[in-house]
């Protein structure tokens, strides 16, 4: 035999070895699945035993042969387990037994009520384009948390970004043979710290956009079923009720049922929800408007019917809706406010924590969550309330930050934890800079100093309560909230696109305007009962969806689910001074009266004697930003940096300056990430603005 042929055949003749895994999934009270990848073709099965390292009476799995065509991945099924038992396991590879590779505990029987159990969840890790990613610090904390299983919500290694770095788009990674299975090899990388949990914790998983095809992707992507097939071939998942429609499925753990949602395979493009989108693509000066019809679908009809039927028939006390993307319909405020910024040079483009984007782009990006599909949220809440399905909770990811809503804005209580191994987006804190407060519980808000990586933890205490938590890699608690048994979502919900607006400086005798939307994000009609008088120097009028003035705006008026009423607010000062007012909104929202705070400063008609402080740029910033200001008279200028509680933390400038425009560069020293206020004082006059530091 020629030497070259011998060298070619050596890998086939060698004893196979496990290169990736084992990973345990699809655990029930009586069964499980296990996946491994080998370095060449091998026939294997697993042995499981309730006695550590003693396999004399082992339970034996099915047998599988790995092959080159599946990149040597193989999944075996195990049956005959007893409920609530800790099993160790080993592999039998081509007749040779390995050492014990790990252990897991089978689930309790459906309908049983464990005194307490905990599971972890999260999304977002190992993105090659994120310089702060790939450290995996969070997994040691997950491993030490005494969890019963872990739920992964996708964005797991970002194979789309890895492909883009090497090859660009198109094609997308899922359109290239072998790249989907290659991505699972990366997910199971034995050198990455997540490997620490594989030998102790069963996994449940659904893909999100970056695992599926590309950012914010949907059902229109060609060859999308390569991603579905990769899931079936490479992840030990639970049975799928409709594999041709996506990876949605459910499983039971004692008194809890988990509904794993596929938010990508059958969804419509986000842009379908916007009027004038096609025109905007041709001409960016065109202003898009969010105006989706009832057919704008997120889950697809098959999955939506499955979910509603399964919820109505569920006998579990706790029902967890596991969504790869944020659900909170109150986040509609973000996209509506961004849409209102279009063409306004003060806000368009919008400076965000991840770059500067047109206001239209921000609005479309904000529609990727459940808030971009109002008819779906309405239908889900309707089904839950009509069938009296109590104790439904959303578990979500994707956002790269932490927040909890008690059900006040999200209707269905929601905990969001989306940054296992990513730079924190600070997206909730950044929304709050613009007066959008749509997360009623704890989380990484503007007043929160901890913007670290994190994972979510849920502890179910019998049939009495559920504790929602999020932790950072050092074991510090970021957020927590307890839900008591017996809750149903409210069906009426008023969302305001922003809770306030500062018109800034306006010359006396002139006017300025700004639109704010009242949005029905509930499932029942919203009755706006009254709007209070804005006062002498402020005005209020109705606008249509294209911001044209309506002939009449009178209360009461009704907004159907998903509808909005745009209010045009004006500031029309006649003499110098600082002015503000509160517009009180009375409605049938059970949260009570809401308000919009308006403020502005009127200056002399032909001069601006006080300091004019412009927005710093970039904002958010790291490590440096530029501050622009103008003074009408020479004199001493002081600019202080304060925290959100008004405490001075730094002096940016304190010196004599000539009249005119000035620019200074500011690089803070030893300050943590967060929202800060910067305050200019000149000749007894003061102006304050906000800046956000990202470390």
């Amino acid at each position: 035999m020629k030497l070259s042929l011998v060298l070619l055949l050596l890998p086939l003749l060698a004893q196979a070895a496990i290169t990736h895994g084992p990973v345990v999934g699809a655990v029930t009270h009586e069964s499980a699945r296990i996946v491994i990848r080998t370095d060449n073709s091998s026939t294997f099965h697993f042995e499981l035993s309730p006695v550590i390292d003693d396999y004399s009476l082992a339970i034996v799995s099915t047998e599988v042969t790995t092959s080159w065509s599946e990149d040597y991945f193989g999944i075996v099924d195990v049956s005959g387990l007893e409920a609530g038992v800790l099993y160790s396991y080993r592999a039998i590879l081509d007749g040779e037994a390995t050492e014990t590779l790990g252990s897991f505990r089978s689930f309790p029987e459906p309908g049983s009520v464990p005194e307490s159990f905990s599971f972890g969840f999260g999304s977002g890790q190992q993105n090659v384009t994120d310089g702060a990613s790939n450290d995996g610090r969070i997994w040691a904390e997950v491993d030490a948390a005494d969890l019963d299983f872990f739920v992964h919500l996708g964005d797991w290694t970002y194979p789309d970004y890895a492909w883009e770095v090497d090859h660009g788009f198109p094609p997308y990674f899922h359109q290239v043979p072998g790249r989907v299975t290659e991505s699972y090899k990366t997910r199971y990388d034995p050198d990455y710290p997540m490997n620490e949990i594989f030998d102790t914790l069963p996994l449940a998983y659904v893909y999100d956009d970056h695992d599926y095809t590309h950012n914010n992707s949907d059902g229109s992507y060609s060859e999308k079923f390569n991603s579905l097939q990769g899931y079936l071939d490479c992840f030990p998942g639970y049975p799928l009720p409709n594999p041709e429609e996506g990876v949605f499925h459910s499983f039971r753990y004692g008194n809890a049922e988990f509904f794993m949602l596929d938010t990508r395979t059958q969804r419509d493009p986000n842009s379908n929800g916007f009027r004038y989108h096609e025109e905007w693509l041709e001409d960016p000066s065109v202003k898009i408007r969010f105006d989706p019809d009832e057919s704008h679908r997120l889950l697809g009809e098959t999955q939506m019917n499955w979910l509603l039927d399964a919820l109505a028939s569920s006998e579990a006390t706790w029902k967890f809706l596991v969504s790869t993307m944020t659900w909170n319909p109150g986040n509609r405020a973000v996209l509506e406010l961004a849409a209102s910024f279009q063409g306004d040079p003060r806000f368009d483009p919008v400076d965000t924590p991840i770059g500067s984007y047109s206001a239209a782009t921000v609005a479309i990006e904000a529609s990727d969550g459940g808030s971009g599909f109002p008819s779906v949220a309405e239908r889900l809440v309707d089904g839950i309330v009509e069938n009296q399905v109590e104790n439904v909770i959303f578990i979500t990811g994707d956002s790269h930050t932490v927040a909890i809503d008690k059900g006040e804005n999200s209707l269905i209580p929601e905990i969001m934890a989306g940054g296992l191994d990513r730079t924190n987006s600070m997206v909730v804190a950044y929304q709050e800079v613009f007066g959008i407060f749509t997360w009623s519980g704890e989380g990484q808000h503007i007043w929160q100093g901890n913007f670290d990586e994190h994972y979510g933890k849920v502890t179910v205490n019998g049939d009495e309560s559920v504790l929602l938590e999020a932790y950072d890699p050092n074991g510090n608690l970021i957020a927590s909230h307890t839900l008591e048994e017996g809750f149903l979502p409210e069906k009426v919900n008023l969302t305001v696109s922003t809770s306030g607006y500062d018109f800034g400086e306006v010359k006396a005798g002139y006017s300025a305007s700004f639109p704010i939307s009242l949005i029905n994000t509930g499932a029942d009609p919203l009755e706006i009962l009254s709007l209070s008088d804005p006062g002498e120097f402020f005005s209020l009028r109705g606008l249509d969806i294209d911001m044209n003035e309506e002939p009449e705006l009178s209360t009461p008026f009704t907004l159907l689910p998903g509808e909005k009423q745009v209010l045009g607010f004006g500031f029309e000062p006649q003499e110098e001074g600082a002015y503000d007012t509160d517009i009180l909104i009375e409605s049938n929202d059970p949260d009570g009266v809401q308000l919009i705070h308006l403020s502005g400063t009127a200056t002399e008609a032909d001069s601006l004697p006080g300091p004019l402080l412009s927005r710093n740029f970039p904002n958010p910033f790291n490590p440096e930003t530029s501050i622009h200001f103008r003074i009408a008279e020479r004199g001493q200028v002081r600019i202080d940096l304060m925290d959100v509680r008004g405490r001075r933390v730094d002096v940016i400038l304190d010196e004599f300056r000539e009249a005119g425009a000035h620019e200074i560069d500011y690089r803070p020293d030893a300050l943590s990430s967060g929202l800060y206020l910067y305050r200019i004082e000149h000749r007894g006059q003061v102006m304050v603005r906000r800046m956000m530091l990202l470390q």
Side-chain angles (χ1 to χ4, degrees), residues 46 66 117 137 160 200 202 220 262 282 292 341 380 412 457 509 528 565 571 645 668:
F46 273 81
T66 61
F117 73 90
R137 295 183 304 134
D160 59 332
T200 57
S220 67
D262 181 340
E282 297 293 329
F341 285 166
L380 177 59
I412 299 168
K457 180 180 180 181
I528 303 298
Q565 171 64 61
F571 178 44
R645 297 180 181 177

Side-chain angles (χ1 to χ4, degrees), residues 85 90 106 146 178 180 194 200 222 289 314 321 335 341 411 419 449 466 478 520 528 600 603 643 667 679 688:
V85 173
R90 68 179 183 182
S106 59
D146 193 27
V180 174
M194 186 183 180
T200 57
S222 65
R289 299 299 180 207
S314 177
L321 303 184
L335 70 89
F341 285 166
L411 303 178
V466 166
I478 298 174
N520 182 355
I528 303 298
T603 65
D643 64 19
R667 182 188 291 258
R679 174 184 185 272
V688 178

Side-chain angles (χ1 to χ4, degrees), residues 617-618 621-626 665-668 693:
F617 183 85
F621 69 97
N622 178 19
E624 187 173 86
T625 189
S626 295
D665 294 326
Y666 176 56
R667 182 188 291 258
L693 171 63

Side-chain angles (χ1 to χ4, degrees), residues 339-354:
S340 72
F341 285 166
Q342 294 176 96
D344 188 331
R346 295 168 296 176
F347 304 111
D348 192 0
V350 182
D351 300 325
T352 78
I354 58 173

Side-chain angles (χ1 to χ4, degrees), residues 571-606:
F571 178 44
E572 303 165 350
Q574 300 304 310
E575 55 188 45
E576 293 180 71
Y579 302 94
D580 69 306
T581 188
D582 288 331
I583 310 296
L584 302 181
I585 308 166
E586 184 183 5
S587 71
N588 62 332
D589 186 330
D591 290 339
V593 174
Q594 298 190 39
L595 64 85
I596 301 172
H597 183 75
L598 303 176
S599 60
T601 301
T603 65
E604 290 182 11
D606 297 318

